[in-house]
Amino acid sequence: MAANHDLTIPPFEQIWARMNVDEAAVRADTKDLRFEGGAGAVLKIGMCLGVIGFFLGVLAYFVSNTLGILIILPSVAIMGVSVFVGLKRAGAASDTFTESVGAPLMRQLLNGMASHDTVSGDASPMQAAYTPRGEVPRPLLAASGLVYDTRMVQEDVVTGRLGATDFVLADLKWRSAITPEERARENSEPSERQWREWRSVARKRLNDTGLRVTRSMVQAEAETMYWRSRRRSALEQKLADALDAKMREAHRLGPSLVFFSADFHKHFTSETYFLPRKRVRGLEAMEKREADGAGLEPMRLVGTQMPDGVEGWTSDQAEARYLVTPQLIEALNAFVAEAGSDAVAVSFTDNRMNIAVGVDTDRFSLDPTNGDIRAATEQIYRDMVRFLRLVQDFDLNTRIWTKD
């Protein structure tokens, strides 16, 4: 695709030389992430013993309930403590790597990138900032229509501008996503069957008082009992908040859903989506009934083909054909193949192009299986460059498409 800007990217060797990283020191500081050393060995043994003890306890339970419980409870405790301590130490090691290597790498990379206008020949440095614990605004995620949970844990956010193109790139943790059905169950009132159970318990309690029990009394008592069960004490709320914080920290070590959004100077009023046929790795899907309700119809591509497992929907076939050119589809297919993922979604909404790619590894962070700090850093460099090239690969001809 002919681009308006050529992107100059400094080579990794040049960036690495400027960083002056003490690999031995970083390797020692991040050993907990790989469960190396004495403490790591103890934690691994604790987890293994906990798992083995749990299964032995389950088997023993069929022989003797008491014996099984006596084995299961300490095994679960050992496993829980080992996992908790292990995740805490791994999270701290990951933060250490980000501070000592990841953030300097990003700064060197972004500061060294520049754009060259292919028409005027002018060159300008990329204006971009990296925030390790940043977040993409939830309205932007929601407007993209690509993810089903805008509250996902996020990190490694890059916001910037190339030429006249504003963009944002972020690492969302898809294992922290909650489906709309799960969210609805969390917030829903009890079913009729559950209300009957509450009323049964309420009637028994009222009968024990010796008073004359009426239907309205039973219903009122049932509602009181239900809302009391939903209300948390101050201690329960603190424990819940602490657990949620720990879960969010654990999710930061999990696999990535890389989200990219850019304003490509195209003024359009339609909505066009390319979504997986079913929800996968935090990505939304769309059923025909839902599409009909939103005024969308299947996208009719001519001479082009989206990645396998992806379906197209649009509110305006004519405008979509101008947006989704064969060259763009070719560039997108090449990008998806290079990223090595079968979970991809694209949308054109609110005058922006949005892309999300779900993978099974934690991108832009230290690989816990790799003790080679330089190699791990170079992998992060390649991943970031791959996504930043989207600004160039999907740049459009502003002489044809403008917002003026």
Side-chain angles (χ1 to χ4, degrees), residues 54-87:
F54 176 79
F55 284 107
L56 289 177
V58 171
L59 294 176
Y61 187 83
F62 292 102
V63 178
S64 169
N65 293 356
T66 303
L67 177 61
I69 292 174
L70 289 175
I71 297 176
I72 289 174
L73 290 180
S75 298
V76 171
I78 293 173
M79 182 169 56
V81 170
S82 299
V83 170
F84 176 81
V85 175
L87 287 175

PDB file of all heavy atoms in Angstrom, residues 54-87:
ATOM      1  N   PHE A  54      -3.410 -32.589  47.130  1.00  0.00           N
ATOM      2  CA  PHE A  54      -4.844 -32.395  46.870  1.00  0.00           C
ATOM      3  C   PHE A  54      -5.454 -33.624  46.211  1.00  0.00           C
ATOM      4  O   PHE A  54      -6.514 -34.116  46.623  1.00  0.00           O
ATOM      5  CB  PHE A  54      -5.042 -31.157  45.992  1.00  0.00           C
ATOM      6  CG  PHE A  54      -6.477 -30.928  45.590  1.00  0.00           C
ATOM      7  CD1 PHE A  54      -7.372 -30.346  46.479  1.00  0.00           C
ATOM      8  CD2 PHE A  54      -6.931 -31.306  44.336  1.00  0.00           C
ATOM      9  CE1 PHE A  54      -8.692 -30.141  46.109  1.00  0.00           C
ATOM     10  CE2 PHE A  54      -8.252 -31.113  43.958  1.00  0.00           C
ATOM     11  CZ  PHE A  54      -9.129 -30.520  44.849  1.00  0.00           C
ATOM     12  N   PHE A  55      -4.792 -34.131  45.173  1.00  0.00           N
ATOM     13  CA  PHE A  55      -5.335 -35.306  44.477  1.00  0.00           C
ATOM     14  C   PHE A  55      -5.299 -36.553  45.361  1.00  0.00           C
ATOM     15  O   PHE A  55      -6.219 -37.374  45.328  1.00  0.00           O
ATOM     16  CB  PHE A  55      -4.574 -35.545  43.171  1.00  0.00           C
ATOM     17  CG  PHE A  55      -4.943 -34.590  42.085  1.00  0.00           C
ATOM     18  CD1 PHE A  55      -4.073 -33.580  41.693  1.00  0.00           C
ATOM     19  CD2 PHE A  55      -6.181 -34.679  41.450  1.00  0.00           C
ATOM     20  CE1 PHE A  55      -4.425 -32.690  40.694  1.00  0.00           C
ATOM     21  CE2 PHE A  55      -6.528 -33.779  40.449  1.00  0.00           C
ATOM     22  CZ  PHE A  55      -5.660 -32.784  40.078  1.00  0.00           C
ATOM     23  N   LEU A  56      -4.243 -36.689  46.165  1.00  0.00           N
ATOM     24  CA  LEU A  56      -4.211 -37.819  47.098  1.00  0.00           C
ATOM     25  C   LEU A  56      -5.337 -37.703  48.127  1.00  0.00           C
ATOM     26  O   LEU A  56      -5.957 -38.704  48.513  1.00  0.00           O
ATOM     27  CB  LEU A  56      -2.861 -37.861  47.809  1.00  0.00           C
ATOM     28  CG  LEU A  56      -1.652 -38.279  46.965  1.00  0.00           C
ATOM     29  CD1 LEU A  56      -0.371 -38.201  47.792  1.00  0.00           C
ATOM     30  CD2 LEU A  56      -1.839 -39.691  46.408  1.00  0.00           C
ATOM     31  N   GLY A  57      -5.611 -36.460  48.553  1.00  0.00           N
ATOM     32  CA  GLY A  57      -6.699 -36.254  49.500  1.00  0.00           C
ATOM     33  C   GLY A  57      -8.053 -36.600  48.919  1.00  0.00           C
ATOM     34  O   GLY A  57      -8.921 -37.165  49.599  1.00  0.00           O
ATOM     35  N   VAL A  58      -8.247 -36.275  47.626  1.00  0.00           N
ATOM     36  CA  VAL A  58      -9.507 -36.618  46.966  1.00  0.00           C
ATOM     37  C   VAL A  58      -9.683 -38.132  46.920  1.00  0.00           C
ATOM     38  O   VAL A  58     -10.780 -38.668  47.177  1.00  0.00           O
ATOM     39  CB  VAL A  58      -9.556 -36.022  45.549  1.00  0.00           C
ATOM     40  CG1 VAL A  58     -10.761 -36.554  44.772  1.00  0.00           C
ATOM     41  CG2 VAL A  58      -9.607 -34.499  45.623  1.00  0.00           C
ATOM     42  N   LEU A  59      -8.606 -38.850  46.589  1.00  0.00           N
ATOM     43  CA  LEU A  59      -8.685 -40.318  46.561  1.00  0.00           C
ATOM     44  C   LEU A  59      -8.941 -40.875  47.961  1.00  0.00           C
ATOM     45  O   LEU A  59      -9.749 -41.802  48.139  1.00  0.00           O
ATOM     46  CB  LEU A  59      -7.379 -40.893  45.992  1.00  0.00           C
ATOM     47  CG  LEU A  59      -7.084 -40.570  44.521  1.00  0.00           C
ATOM     48  CD1 LEU A  59      -5.718 -41.106  44.125  1.00  0.00           C
ATOM     49  CD2 LEU A  59      -8.159 -41.167  43.611  1.00  0.00           C
ATOM     50  N   ALA A  60      -8.248 -40.300  48.964  1.00  0.00           N
ATOM     51  CA  ALA A  60      -8.425 -40.784  50.339  1.00  0.00           C
ATOM     52  C   ALA A  60      -9.830 -40.500  50.860  1.00  0.00           C
ATOM     53  O   ALA A  60     -10.349 -41.233  51.712  1.00  0.00           O
ATOM     54  CB  ALA A  60      -7.388 -40.132  51.256  1.00  0.00           C
ATOM     55  N   TYR A  61     -10.467 -39.467  50.335  1.00  0.00           N
ATOM     56  CA  TYR A  61     -11.809 -39.095  50.785  1.00  0.00           C
ATOM     57  C   TYR A  61     -12.811 -40.214  50.545  1.00  0.00           C
ATOM     58  O   TYR A  61     -13.757 -40.387  51.330  1.00  0.00           O
ATOM     59  CB  TYR A  61     -12.248 -37.822  50.063  1.00  0.00           C
ATOM     60  CG  TYR A  61     -13.554 -37.257  50.568  1.00  0.00           C
ATOM     61  CD1 TYR A  61     -13.583 -36.440  51.696  1.00  0.00           C
ATOM     62  CD2 TYR A  61     -14.749 -37.532  49.916  1.00  0.00           C
ATOM     63  CE1 TYR A  61     -14.781 -35.912  52.169  1.00  0.00           C
ATOM     64  CE2 TYR A  61     -15.947 -37.016  50.373  1.00  0.00           C
ATOM     65  CZ  TYR A  61     -15.962 -36.206  51.494  1.00  0.00           C
ATOM     66  OH  TYR A  61     -17.149 -35.692  51.955  1.00  0.00           O
ATOM     67  N   PHE A  62     -12.621 -40.979  49.471  1.00  0.00           N
ATOM     68  CA  PHE A  62     -13.551 -42.079  49.173  1.00  0.00           C
ATOM     69  C   PHE A  62     -13.361 -43.243  50.143  1.00  0.00           C
ATOM     70  O   PHE A  62     -14.260 -44.065  50.309  1.00  0.00           O
ATOM     71  CB  PHE A  62     -13.349 -42.560  47.734  1.00  0.00           C
ATOM     72  CG  PHE A  62     -13.765 -41.541  46.701  1.00  0.00           C
ATOM     73  CD1 PHE A  62     -12.816 -40.782  46.031  1.00  0.00           C
ATOM     74  CD2 PHE A  62     -15.099 -41.328  46.419  1.00  0.00           C
ATOM     75  CE1 PHE A  62     -13.184 -39.846  45.084  1.00  0.00           C
ATOM     76  CE2 PHE A  62     -15.486 -40.379  45.473  1.00  0.00           C
ATOM     77  CZ  PHE A  62     -14.535 -39.641  44.809  1.00  0.00           C
ATOM     78  N   VAL A  63     -12.202 -43.303  50.761  1.00  0.00           N
ATOM     79  CA  VAL A  63     -11.953 -44.356  51.759  1.00  0.00           C
ATOM     80  C   VAL A  63     -12.387 -43.883  53.140  1.00  0.00           C
ATOM     81  O   VAL A  63     -13.072 -44.586  53.884  1.00  0.00           O
ATOM     82  CB  VAL A  63     -10.460 -44.744  51.772  1.00  0.00           C
ATOM     83  CG1 VAL A  63     -10.190 -45.798  52.844  1.00  0.00           C
ATOM     84  CG2 VAL A  63     -10.033 -45.239  50.397  1.00  0.00           C
ATOM     85  N   SER A  64     -11.956 -42.660  53.495  1.00  0.00           N
ATOM     86  CA  SER A  64     -12.306 -42.090  54.788  1.00  0.00           C
ATOM     87  C   SER A  64     -12.474 -40.585  54.620  1.00  0.00           C
ATOM     88  O   SER A  64     -11.516 -39.892  54.244  1.00  0.00           O
ATOM     89  CB  SER A  64     -11.213 -42.375  55.824  1.00  0.00           C
ATOM     90  OG  SER A  64     -11.413 -41.618  57.000  1.00  0.00           O
ATOM     91  N   ASN A  65     -13.693 -40.103  54.894  1.00  0.00           N
ATOM     92  CA  ASN A  65     -13.953 -38.668  54.732  1.00  0.00           C
ATOM     93  C   ASN A  65     -13.009 -37.828  55.586  1.00  0.00           C
ATOM     94  O   ASN A  65     -12.457 -36.825  55.139  1.00  0.00           O
ATOM     95  CB  ASN A  65     -15.394 -38.356  55.107  1.00  0.00           C
ATOM     96  CG  ASN A  65     -16.386 -38.983  54.143  1.00  0.00           C
ATOM     97  OD1 ASN A  65     -15.987 -39.592  53.154  1.00  0.00           O
ATOM     98  ND2 ASN A  65     -17.668 -38.836  54.422  1.00  0.00           N
ATOM     99  N   THR A  66     -12.821 -38.242  56.814  1.00  0.00           N
ATOM    100  CA  THR A  66     -11.966 -37.483  57.735  1.00  0.00           C
ATOM    101  C   THR A  66     -10.525 -37.440  57.249  1.00  0.00           C
ATOM    102  O   THR A  66      -9.873 -36.386  57.239  1.00  0.00           O
ATOM    103  CB  THR A  66     -12.012 -38.105  59.136  1.00  0.00           C
ATOM    104  OG1 THR A  66     -13.368 -38.138  59.594  1.00  0.00           O
ATOM    105  CG2 THR A  66     -11.160 -37.299  60.109  1.00  0.00           C
ATOM    106  N   LEU A  67     -10.001 -38.623  56.836  1.00  0.00           N
ATOM    107  CA  LEU A  67      -8.628 -38.679  56.340  1.00  0.00           C
ATOM    108  C   LEU A  67      -8.467 -37.813  55.108  1.00  0.00           C
ATOM    109  O   LEU A  67      -7.460 -37.092  54.959  1.00  0.00           O
ATOM    110  CB  LEU A  67      -8.246 -40.132  56.027  1.00  0.00           C
ATOM    111  CG  LEU A  67      -6.844 -40.340  55.427  1.00  0.00           C
ATOM    112  CD1 LEU A  67      -5.770 -39.853  56.401  1.00  0.00           C
ATOM    113  CD2 LEU A  67      -6.634 -41.802  55.055  1.00  0.00           C
ATOM    114  N   GLY A  68      -9.428 -37.872  54.195  1.00  0.00           N
ATOM    115  CA  GLY A  68      -9.347 -37.069  52.981  1.00  0.00           C
ATOM    116  C   GLY A  68      -9.288 -35.586  53.277  1.00  0.00           C
ATOM    117  O   GLY A  68      -8.482 -34.847  52.701  1.00  0.00           O
ATOM    118  N   ILE A  69     -10.155 -35.136  54.196  1.00  0.00           N
ATOM    119  CA  ILE A  69     -10.177 -33.718  54.549  1.00  0.00           C
ATOM    120  C   ILE A  69      -8.871 -33.296  55.217  1.00  0.00           C
ATOM    121  O   ILE A  69      -8.340 -32.205  54.957  1.00  0.00           O
ATOM    122  CB  ILE A  69     -11.378 -33.423  55.469  1.00  0.00           C
ATOM    123  CG1 ILE A  69     -12.684 -33.589  54.673  1.00  0.00           C
ATOM    124  CG2 ILE A  69     -11.295 -32.018  56.042  1.00  0.00           C
ATOM    125  CD1 ILE A  69     -13.929 -33.466  55.510  1.00  0.00           C
ATOM    126  N   LEU A  70      -8.327 -34.160  56.068  1.00  0.00           N
ATOM    127  CA  LEU A  70      -7.077 -33.855  56.751  1.00  0.00           C
ATOM    128  C   LEU A  70      -5.916 -33.711  55.764  1.00  0.00           C
ATOM    129  O   LEU A  70      -4.945 -32.999  56.033  1.00  0.00           O
ATOM    130  CB  LEU A  70      -6.755 -34.950  57.781  1.00  0.00           C
ATOM    131  CG  LEU A  70      -7.654 -34.984  59.025  1.00  0.00           C
ATOM    132  CD1 LEU A  70      -7.305 -36.175  59.901  1.00  0.00           C
ATOM    133  CD2 LEU A  70      -7.522 -33.679  59.804  1.00  0.00           C
ATOM    134  N   ILE A  71      -6.001 -34.410  54.627  1.00  0.00           N
ATOM    135  CA  ILE A  71      -4.949 -34.289  53.603  1.00  0.00           C
ATOM    136  C   ILE A  71      -5.217 -33.100  52.693  1.00  0.00           C
ATOM    137  O   ILE A  71      -4.302 -32.341  52.325  1.00  0.00           O
ATOM    138  CB  ILE A  71      -4.848 -35.587  52.779  1.00  0.00           C
ATOM    139  CG1 ILE A  71      -4.435 -36.762  53.682  1.00  0.00           C
ATOM    140  CG2 ILE A  71      -3.859 -35.416  51.637  1.00  0.00           C
ATOM    141  CD1 ILE A  71      -4.415 -38.097  52.967  1.00  0.00           C
ATOM    142  N   ILE A  72      -6.485 -32.892  52.323  1.00  0.00           N
ATOM    143  CA  ILE A  72      -6.835 -31.845  51.356  1.00  0.00           C
ATOM    144  C   ILE A  72      -6.582 -30.452  51.924  1.00  0.00           C
ATOM    145  O   ILE A  72      -5.977 -29.595  51.249  1.00  0.00           O
ATOM    146  CB  ILE A  72      -8.312 -31.984  50.927  1.00  0.00           C
ATOM    147  CG1 ILE A  72      -8.493 -33.219  50.044  1.00  0.00           C
ATOM    148  CG2 ILE A  72      -8.766 -30.741  50.165  1.00  0.00           C
ATOM    149  CD1 ILE A  72      -9.935 -33.518  49.697  1.00  0.00           C
ATOM    150  N   LEU A  73      -7.014 -30.201  53.147  1.00  0.00           N
ATOM    151  CA  LEU A  73      -6.915 -28.845  53.698  1.00  0.00           C
ATOM    152  C   LEU A  73      -5.482 -28.324  53.761  1.00  0.00           C
ATOM    153  O   LEU A  73      -5.198 -27.220  53.270  1.00  0.00           O
ATOM    154  CB  LEU A  73      -7.572 -28.806  55.082  1.00  0.00           C
ATOM    155  CG  LEU A  73      -9.099 -28.935  55.096  1.00  0.00           C
ATOM    156  CD1 LEU A  73      -9.636 -28.883  56.515  1.00  0.00           C
ATOM    157  CD2 LEU A  73      -9.737 -27.837  54.253  1.00  0.00           C
ATOM    158  N   PRO A  74      -4.526 -29.069  54.349  1.00  0.00           N
ATOM    159  CA  PRO A  74      -3.148 -28.541  54.356  1.00  0.00           C
ATOM    160  C   PRO A  74      -2.543 -28.460  52.954  1.00  0.00           C
ATOM    161  O   PRO A  74      -1.716 -27.580  52.679  1.00  0.00           O
ATOM    162  CB  PRO A  74      -2.390 -29.528  55.241  1.00  0.00           C
ATOM    163  CG  PRO A  74      -3.214 -30.761  55.269  1.00  0.00           C
ATOM    164  CD  PRO A  74      -4.632 -30.318  55.131  1.00  0.00           C
ATOM    165  N   SER A  75      -2.938 -29.380  52.062  1.00  0.00           N
ATOM    166  CA  SER A  75      -2.406 -29.345  50.695  1.00  0.00           C
ATOM    167  C   SER A  75      -2.856 -28.083  49.980  1.00  0.00           C
ATOM    168  O   SER A  75      -2.064 -27.412  49.295  1.00  0.00           O
ATOM    169  CB  SER A  75      -2.874 -30.581  49.913  1.00  0.00           C
ATOM    170  OG  SER A  75      -2.399 -31.762  50.514  1.00  0.00           O
ATOM    171  N   VAL A  76      -4.152 -27.754  50.137  1.00  0.00           N
ATOM    172  CA  VAL A  76      -4.667 -26.526  49.518  1.00  0.00           C
ATOM    173  C   VAL A  76      -3.978 -25.302  50.111  1.00  0.00           C
ATOM    174  O   VAL A  76      -3.650 -24.342  49.398  1.00  0.00           O
ATOM    175  CB  VAL A  76      -6.197 -26.437  49.703  1.00  0.00           C
ATOM    176  CG1 VAL A  76      -6.712 -25.066  49.273  1.00  0.00           C
ATOM    177  CG2 VAL A  76      -6.893 -27.527  48.912  1.00  0.00           C
ATOM    178  N   ALA A  77      -3.739 -25.328  51.437  1.00  0.00           N
ATOM    179  CA  ALA A  77      -3.068 -24.199  52.092  1.00  0.00           C
ATOM    180  C   ALA A  77      -1.651 -24.027  51.562  1.00  0.00           C
ATOM    181  O   ALA A  77      -1.215 -22.905  51.259  1.00  0.00           O
ATOM    182  CB  ALA A  77      -3.054 -24.420  53.604  1.00  0.00           C
ATOM    183  N   ILE A  78      -0.910 -25.131  51.441  1.00  0.00           N
ATOM    184  CA  ILE A  78       0.465 -25.070  50.925  1.00  0.00           C
ATOM    185  C   ILE A  78       0.482 -24.550  49.497  1.00  0.00           C
ATOM    186  O   ILE A  78       1.288 -23.681  49.125  1.00  0.00           O
ATOM    187  CB  ILE A  78       1.129 -26.458  50.997  1.00  0.00           C
ATOM    188  CG1 ILE A  78       1.340 -26.873  52.465  1.00  0.00           C
ATOM    189  CG2 ILE A  78       2.460 -26.466  50.252  1.00  0.00           C
ATOM    190  CD1 ILE A  78       1.826 -28.298  52.625  1.00  0.00           C
ATOM    191  N   MET A  79      -0.434 -25.086  48.679  1.00  0.00           N
ATOM    192  CA  MET A  79      -0.489 -24.669  47.283  1.00  0.00           C
ATOM    193  C   MET A  79      -0.870 -23.197  47.176  1.00  0.00           C
ATOM    194  O   MET A  79      -0.280 -22.442  46.393  1.00  0.00           O
ATOM    195  CB  MET A  79      -1.497 -25.541  46.523  1.00  0.00           C
ATOM    196  CG  MET A  79      -1.618 -25.227  45.045  1.00  0.00           C
ATOM    197  SD  MET A  79      -2.563 -26.482  44.162  1.00  0.00           S
ATOM    198  CE  MET A  79      -4.099 -26.488  45.103  1.00  0.00           C
ATOM    199  N   GLY A  80      -1.865 -22.763  47.975  1.00  0.00           N
ATOM    200  CA  GLY A  80      -2.308 -21.373  47.919  1.00  0.00           C
ATOM    201  C   GLY A  80      -1.219 -20.403  48.331  1.00  0.00           C
ATOM    202  O   GLY A  80      -1.004 -19.387  47.662  1.00  0.00           O
ATOM    203  N   VAL A  81      -0.525 -20.710  49.417  1.00  0.00           N
ATOM    204  CA  VAL A  81       0.545 -19.838  49.882  1.00  0.00           C
ATOM    205  C   VAL A  81       1.675 -19.778  48.853  1.00  0.00           C
ATOM    206  O   VAL A  81       2.223 -18.705  48.563  1.00  0.00           O
ATOM    207  CB  VAL A  81       1.085 -20.318  51.247  1.00  0.00           C
ATOM    208  CG1 VAL A  81       2.357 -19.560  51.620  1.00  0.00           C
ATOM    209  CG2 VAL A  81       0.033 -20.142  52.327  1.00  0.00           C
ATOM    210  N   SER A  82       2.020 -20.931  48.268  1.00  0.00           N
ATOM    211  CA  SER A  82       3.098 -20.976  47.276  1.00  0.00           C
ATOM    212  C   SER A  82       2.739 -20.151  46.043  1.00  0.00           C
ATOM    213  O   SER A  82       3.569 -19.392  45.523  1.00  0.00           O
ATOM    214  CB  SER A  82       3.380 -22.426  46.876  1.00  0.00           C
ATOM    215  OG  SER A  82       3.801 -23.188  47.988  1.00  0.00           O
ATOM    216  N   VAL A  83       1.491 -20.296  45.585  1.00  0.00           N
ATOM    217  CA  VAL A  83       1.057 -19.536  44.405  1.00  0.00           C
ATOM    218  C   VAL A  83       1.036 -18.047  44.714  1.00  0.00           C
ATOM    219  O   VAL A  83       1.492 -17.216  43.915  1.00  0.00           O
ATOM    220  CB  VAL A  83      -0.340 -20.012  43.944  1.00  0.00           C
ATOM    221  CG1 VAL A  83      -0.896 -19.073  42.887  1.00  0.00           C
ATOM    222  CG2 VAL A  83      -0.257 -21.430  43.402  1.00  0.00           C
ATOM    223  N   PHE A  84       0.491 -17.683  45.881  1.00  0.00           N
ATOM    224  CA  PHE A  84       0.399 -16.268  46.264  1.00  0.00           C
ATOM    225  C   PHE A  84       1.792 -15.632  46.329  1.00  0.00           C
ATOM    226  O   PHE A  84       2.031 -14.569  45.748  1.00  0.00           O
ATOM    227  CB  PHE A  84      -0.301 -16.148  47.618  1.00  0.00           C
ATOM    228  CG  PHE A  84      -0.368 -14.745  48.141  1.00  0.00           C
ATOM    229  CD1 PHE A  84      -1.334 -13.865  47.696  1.00  0.00           C
ATOM    230  CD2 PHE A  84       0.557 -14.300  49.083  1.00  0.00           C
ATOM    231  CE1 PHE A  84      -1.386 -12.564  48.176  1.00  0.00           C
ATOM    232  CE2 PHE A  84       0.515 -13.000  49.562  1.00  0.00           C
ATOM    233  CZ  PHE A  84      -0.473 -12.123  49.115  1.00  0.00           C
ATOM    234  N   VAL A  85       2.696 -16.283  47.054  1.00  0.00           N
ATOM    235  CA  VAL A  85       4.053 -15.738  47.188  1.00  0.00           C
ATOM    236  C   VAL A  85       4.766 -15.728  45.836  1.00  0.00           C
ATOM    237  O   VAL A  85       5.459 -14.768  45.488  1.00  0.00           O
ATOM    238  CB  VAL A  85       4.861 -16.556  48.223  1.00  0.00           C
ATOM    239  CG1 VAL A  85       6.308 -16.076  48.269  1.00  0.00           C
ATOM    240  CG2 VAL A  85       4.222 -16.445  49.602  1.00  0.00           C
ATOM    241  N   GLY A  86       4.570 -16.816  45.064  1.00  0.00           N
ATOM    242  CA  GLY A  86       5.217 -16.898  43.757  1.00  0.00           C
ATOM    243  C   GLY A  86       4.768 -15.791  42.823  1.00  0.00           C
ATOM    244  O   GLY A  86       5.594 -15.157  42.143  1.00  0.00           O
ATOM    245  N   LEU A  87       3.451 -15.529  42.779  1.00  0.00           N
ATOM    246  CA  LEU A  87       2.940 -14.467  41.916  1.00  0.00           C
ATOM    247  C   LEU A  87       3.424 -13.097  42.377  1.00  0.00           C
ATOM    248  O   LEU A  87       3.741 -12.231  41.560  1.00  0.00           O
ATOM    249  CB  LEU A  87       1.411 -14.502  41.894  1.00  0.00           C
ATOM    250  CG  LEU A  87       0.768 -15.655  41.115  1.00  0.00           C
ATOM    251  CD1 LEU A  87      -0.743 -15.634  41.286  1.00  0.00           C
ATOM    252  CD2 LEU A  87       1.127 -15.568  39.630  1.00  0.00           C
TER     253      LEU A  87
END
